[in-house]
Amino acid sequence: MVASADSLDKYLRTIKQFPVLTPEEEYRYASQLKESGDLEAARALIVSHLRLVASIARGYSGYGLPQSDLIQEGNIGLMKAVKRFDPDRGVRLVSFAMHWIKAEIHEYIVRNWRLVKTATTKAQRKLFFNLRSMKQGFESLSQDDVQRIATELNVKPEEVTEMEYRLNGQEISLDAQVDDDGEEVYSPIAFLEDEGPEPSTLLENLQNEHLQTEGLSMALQQLDDRSRRVLQARWLTESGTSTLHELAAEFNVSAERIRQIEQKAMQKIKSFMLESK
């Protein structure tokens, strides 16, 4: 991985020393990784494609972000691709990995190019990475240009206009500035209130949630199999709550009997949770 911008030249020289795998070698390593999780096989696949990452990252140098960081993010995408690669699909890793590498670099650029996110939807991301190269000159887009770009990228004309405005807008620092007299000037950050809970409160909430979840699991273990099944089917399933009549048919009893079992089980759960506090 890339440690810093200062080591970039050394890193680029180093990765050139790793040999490119033949199709047979790539298939063998990928099969070993898929079948047995062989980490050495994963390493061989990764290092043989580091030059691909560096080449792709070079194409995003116009965003003013450190090249070493772009390569670092691209390497993360490469590792994700290697983990998901299936050699039996008849596609070379280089073709499969390009999507993951670019996706990771795109995500990094969107997160860091401006403090306030510029592109969040799919259409905005498409415009973010293509609009500047599609503009002819530095003048504002004409209505014809807007329509042409919208058609080519399959987005709405108003989305093209909005992205042009965002890309041409000036950034405002959130941090406090100091004027010529040495006085601190109020900046936007002075008016931004964090309405979220404090870290201590957040930690306490997470701990309470964990204890409640753990307590519920222990309480369920105190029930007999039928009572536990009824409660889970009625309240603790993500696939849809079972009705009383459905459970009645499953256990060959009346719906009223299932309601009684449910009510009694709920009382036991409540008592156990109160005693555990």
Side-chain angles (χ1 to χ4, degrees):
M1 300 298 256
V2 189
S4 66
D6 295 336
S7 63
L8 180 59
D9 290 339
K10 180 180 179 181
Y11 172 81
L12 294 175
R13 290 195 301 269
T14 300
I15 63 177
K16 288 181 180 178
Q17 300 174 13
F18 297 118
V20 177
L21 299 178
T22 64
E24 294 76 17
E25 290 173 330
E26 179 179 293
Y27 182 85
R28 185 175 73 252
Y29 284 130
S31 298
Q32 291 173 359
L33 175 60
K34 180 182 177 182
E35 294 169 4
S36 61
D38 189 337
L39 295 182
E40 283 301 316
R43 178 184 178 280
L45 292 169
I46 291 171
V47 298
S48 66
H49 289 80
L50 292 177
R51 276 176 287 186
L52 170 66
V53 175
S55 176
I56 293 175
R58 196 177 303 119
Y60 296 93
S61 58
Y63 291 95
L65 295 170
Q67 190 69 18
S68 58
D69 289 350
L70 295 173
I71 294 175
Q72 184 97 330
E73 296 299 317
N75 286 344
I76 294 175
L78 172 61
M79 289 187 287
K80 290 182 178 180
V82 167
K83 182 179 180 180
R84 293 167 172 79
F85 181 58
D86 185 353
D88 294 320
R89 293 195 173 183
V91 179
R92 292 296 302 273
L93 178 57
V94 62
S95 301
F96 180 77
M98 288 181 69
H99 163 76
W100 291 93
I101 296 168
K102 289 181 178 180
E104 209 68 31
I105 293 176
H106 284 187
E107 190 66 32
Y108 172 76
I109 292 174
V110 170
R111 286 198 316 266
N112 295 277
W113 195 60
R114 289 177 186 264
L115 185 60
V116 178
K117 288 186 177 181
T118 303
T120 53
T121 67
K122 184 177 181 180
Q124 288 173 349
R125 289 170 185 263
K126 191 185 299 184
L127 284 163
F128 180 81
F129 289 105
N130 291 280
L131 184 57
R132 290 195 300 175
S133 62
M134 297 179 72
K135 287 184 64 174
Q136 299 174 353
F138 298 98
E139 299 296 328
S140 298
L141 291 174
S142 66
Q143 195 60 40
D144 290 340
D145 290 332
V146 170
Q147 190 60 53
R148 172 180 58 82
I149 294 174
T151 301
E152 290 185 26
L153 296 181
N154 193 27
V155 298
K156 298 177 182 178
E158 53 266 30
E159 291 175 323
V160 177
T161 304
E162 180 185 358
M163 183 54 65
E164 182 191 25
Y165 175 79
R166 290 191 183 191
L167 293 176
N168 291 339
Q170 297 295 318
E171 294 181 356
I172 302 176
S173 173
L174 291 179
D175 297 322
Q177 305 295 316
V178 178
D179 62 17
D180 295 337
D181 298 325
E183 295 291 333
E184 188 175 272
V185 180
Y186 280 107
S187 59
I189 199 169
F191 304 96
L192 296 179
E193 179 181 358
D194 184 4
E195 298 180 353
E198 296 182 357
S200 58
T201 304
L202 186 60
L203 178 59
E204 182 180 354
N205 292 339
L206 289 174
Q207 290 175 335
N208 289 336
E209 182 179 346
H210 173 73
L211 290 174
Q212 290 175 0
T213 303
E214 187 178 86
L216 177 60
S217 177
M218 294 177 62
L220 286 171
Q221 298 305 314
Q222 311 302 312
L223 302 176
D224 60 83
D225 292 342
R226 185 170 63 172
S227 298
R228 188 184 312 117
R229 164 63 183 152
V230 169
L231 275 192
Q232 289 175 333
R234 292 283 289 157
W235 301 101
L236 302 175
T237 179
E238 296 180 358
S239 58
T241 302
S242 298
T243 66
L244 294 175
H245 291 284
E246 289 173 341
L247 290 169
E250 179 180 336
F251 290 105
N252 195 26
V253 296
S254 67
E256 174 60 22
R257 178 56 182 153
I258 293 297
R259 188 192 66 78
Q260 293 172 357
I261 293 173
E262 176 187 8
Q263 187 177 28
K264 188 174 181 181
M266 291 289 283
Q267 291 173 349
K268 287 184 177 180
I269 291 286
K270 183 177 180 180
S271 298
F272 182 87
M273 298 286 284
L274 289 173
E275 292 174 359
S276 301
K277 287 187 177 182

